[in-house]
Amino acid sequence: SSTATSTAAPEQGRPRDYLVLAISSCFCPVWPINIVALVFSIMSRNSGQQGDTDGARRLGRMARLLSIVSIVLGTIIIVLYISLSVRGNPAF
């Protein structure tokens, strides 16, 4: 029965700041969004170090969302650019 209570207990660890995801999203060509994601990630890390776990979780979730949006939009832009470049220059 102790395992049932330990799995149902709320998460007590440090909130995630998604800094690696935000840094990796900076390689996508959607620069305003990924820079804002990086700023939210750093703010989340600072809030977690100051003991504000709720604020750190909220900022971390926002950093994750913006990083994912940046990666998805960046991938779409890159695929469109490559497909239009190949289509515009026929090989024969």
Side-chain angles (χ1 to χ4, degrees), residues 4-91:
T5 57
S6 66
T7 57
E11 182 181 291
Q12 296 296 328
R14 272 184 38 210
R16 296 195 55 187
D17 56 8
Y18 299 100
L19 185 62
V20 174
L21 182 65
I23 290 172
S24 63
S25 74
C26 288
F27 293 104
C28 293
V30 190
W31 62 268
I33 297 173
N34 52 23
I35 291 175
V36 173
L38 183 63
V39 168
F40 272 109
S41 176
I42 293 170
M43 288 171 46
S44 171
R45 177 169 281 199
N46 290 339
S47 293
Q49 289 175 348
Q50 292 176 355
D52 182 16
T53 56
D54 291 333
R57 280 192 186 97
R58 180 179 47 84
L59 291 167
R61 282 193 306 261
M62 184 60 74
R64 181 185 63 192
L65 173 70
L66 290 173
S67 296
I68 291 171
V69 166
S70 175
I71 290 170
V72 168
L73 288 177
T75 304
I76 290 171
I77 289 171
I78 290 170
V79 167
L80 283 175
Y81 178 77
I82 290 173
S83 66
L84 291 175
S85 294
V86 170
R87 187 180 192 194
N89 297 326

